[in-house]
Amino acid sequence: MKAFSKITLLAAAAAFLASCEMEYYKEELYRKEIFIVSGENNILGQEFEYGEEGCEGRLAIYSSGTTSLDENVTVTFALDHEAIGEYNKRNFDTKFEDYALELPEEYYTIDPMSVEMKAGTNSELLPVTVRIDELLPDETYFIPLRIESVSSCMASTTKNYVLFEILRKNDYATTKSDTYYTMTGTTQSGWVIDNIFGSDSRRQAINSSKLVIPVGERSVRILPGATAANDKVTTRNNSLRVTVDPESWVNVPVYVEGEITDEVVPMQRVSITPYLDSQDAIRVSASPLNDSTYDPATGTFYLYYRYQLATESGNTWHEVRETMTRSQY
């Protein structure tokens, strides 16, 4: 009898614990938490296209659980300046040149800084209007937002903030991932007198996988020829702005085995200028013999120019002919 009573008590205790566990998991399953949709490190990147005045992005706000909200919920947001600092310290420590920047408030609008999630739903979108034309191409920009308050339910303890990354793109490149073009061509060092290039050295073949960065609706930034730079300041000083004019077309002759034919290919005219307007910037001039062009059918740039770095003295110039075709992935 005693043994039976003991078994009965143990069974009752087990049933009670199982019931409590079920209630706990039921509570977990249906408990409402408000969170911001984001990826690793609470980063969410969105591409904004150059040329669009007041580009609009959206942040998705969700409630957890298997059922919809049973009442309206107002979610209010605030800027979280500390989130960027923590991200930079964790990822870059003292490599300050790699730090992400907070997007200045004059470049975006979030009005109002709140959303109302309606009863019967489990999501809402927070509109973010961004202006990107004057942003530096080498920098990472975040809008750091945190859920400041929730009218009911509770905010997630892990997804209650987001680093909203401002990615930029145009028809030729994007900052979402590095955009590379396969470049082949030639370069020759010499001098320029009365716009005539002279040299006592042989023309050298060049080729590289070339990083191309969008800097405007029709513009990209590149380094000249097969040159490279190790820091942001040098890169900006030595970079070229390549701009496509979609309204100006050039009939480019077709060559077969080095011989000119009667065929032509219409291409868009391209201009090449220094990326910066500065005394420390590269100097560049167009070739008087060939037009630089872009073939939209193949995504290929044909560039002809001369350049001189600000660090070079005298009348030393480099004449470059290069073909850049966007790499396929």
Side-chain angles (χ1 to χ4, degrees):
M1 186 67 177
K2 289 182 178 180
F4 175 78
S5 298
K6 192 172 185 180
I7 292 172
T8 301
L9 288 172
L10 287 173
F16 175 76
L17 290 173
S19 175
C20 290
E21 187 174 9
M22 288 179 65
E23 287 298 319
Y24 172 78
Y25 282 114
K26 183 178 180 182
E27 180 183 350
E28 286 287 301
L29 186 63
Y30 289 97
R31 185 174 65 193
K32 295 299 179 190
E33 288 189 351
I34 306 301
F35 64 95
I36 307 172
V37 175
S38 62
E40 187 177 358
N41 292 319
N42 283 30
I43 295 174
L44 178 68
Q46 185 165 337
E47 286 183 301
F48 295 88
E49 190 157 5
Y50 283 100
E52 294 183 358
E53 187 174 347
C55 308
E56 186 172 285
R58 295 177 184 273
L59 284 171
I61 317 302
Y62 270 78
S63 65
S64 62
T66 57
T67 61
S68 302
L69 294 168
D70 55 13
E71 62 179 312
N72 291 355
V73 176
T74 301
V75 185
T76 303
F77 303 89
L79 293 175
D80 187 353
H81 305 291
E82 294 182 1
I84 289 184
E86 293 170 358
Y87 168 84
N88 285 331
K89 183 66 176 177
R90 182 171 63 251
N91 288 279
F92 306 114
D93 195 23
T94 57
K95 295 176 64 178
F96 303 115
E97 67 276 10
D98 294 331
Y99 273 27
L101 304 178
E102 182 173 343
L103 186 67
E105 292 188 35
E106 61 265 29
Y107 289 100
Y108 70 94
T109 302
I110 305 175
D111 186 20
M113 287 279 280
S114 64
V115 296
E116 184 172 14
M117 305 177 70
K118 301 294 186 181
T121 69
N122 62 359
S123 66
E124 189 52 79
L125 297 173
L126 177 69
V128 181
T129 302
V130 178
R131 183 166 57 86
I132 64 172
D133 287 344
E134 298 176 21
L135 300 184
L136 295 172
D138 306 297
E139 303 293 354
T140 298
Y141 292 94
F142 289 137
I143 300 176
L145 289 173
R146 180 178 293 274
I147 295 176
E148 185 177 48
S149 64
V150 181
S151 62
S152 61
C153 310
M154 60 184 294
S156 168
T157 57
T158 57
K159 289 290 186 178
N160 59 337
Y161 75 94
V162 66
L163 295 174
F164 187 41
E165 185 174 3
I166 309 305
L167 306 171
R168 288 87 75 195
K169 70 174 181 176
N170 60 20
D171 289 341
Y172 320 103
T174 177
T175 63
K176 185 176 183 179
S177 59
D178 288 342
T179 302
Y180 286 97
Y181 280 62
T182 300
M183 185 276 287
T184 60
T186 62
T187 185
Q188 187 175 23
S189 298
W191 57 86
V192 175
I193 299 176
D194 294 332
N195 205 29
I196 299 174
F197 179 78
S199 176
D200 54 12
S201 63
R202 299 185 63 181
R203 184 167 290 276
Q204 303 292 318
I206 55 174
N207 62 81
S208 70
S209 183
K210 196 158 186 171
L211 181 63
V212 176
I213 301 175
V215 292
E217 182 180 5
R218 297 291 180 181
S219 300
V220 295
R221 196 194 71 183
I222 63 171
L223 285 167
T227 60
N230 297 321
D231 60 84
K232 293 179 181 179
V233 173
T234 303
T235 297
R236 291 168 186 165
N237 285 335
N238 293 352
S239 287
L240 303 174
R241 180 187 294 268
V242 177
T243 303
V244 178
D245 183 352
E247 303 301 323
S248 179
W249 291 80
V250 179
N251 287 323
V252 179
V254 174
Y255 288 80
V256 176
E257 296 182 355
E259 297 291 329
I260 191 169
T261 69
D262 293 332
E263 296 182 57
V264 295
V265 176
M267 298 187 190
Q268 296 168 341
R269 195 182 303 273
V270 166
S271 62
I272 304 172
T273 58
Y275 170 66
L276 293 181
D277 181 11
S278 163
Q279 64 179 6
D280 296 322
I282 189 173
R283 290 177 281 276
V284 62
S285 65
S287 168
L289 303 177
N290 302 95
D291 290 310
S292 292
T293 56
Y294 173 73
D295 184 357
T298 61
T300 301
F301 287 90
Y302 299 89
L303 307 180
Y304 305 91
Y305 59 93
R306 301 162 181 170
Y307 75 89
Q308 182 186 57
L309 300 177
T311 54
E312 295 178 307
S313 58
N315 192 23
T316 300
W317 286 80
H318 310 274
E319 187 174 73
V320 177
R321 306 168 186 169
E322 62 177 290
T323 300
M324 300 192 322
T325 302
R326 189 164 183 172
S327 302
Q328 301 297 319
Y329 295 97

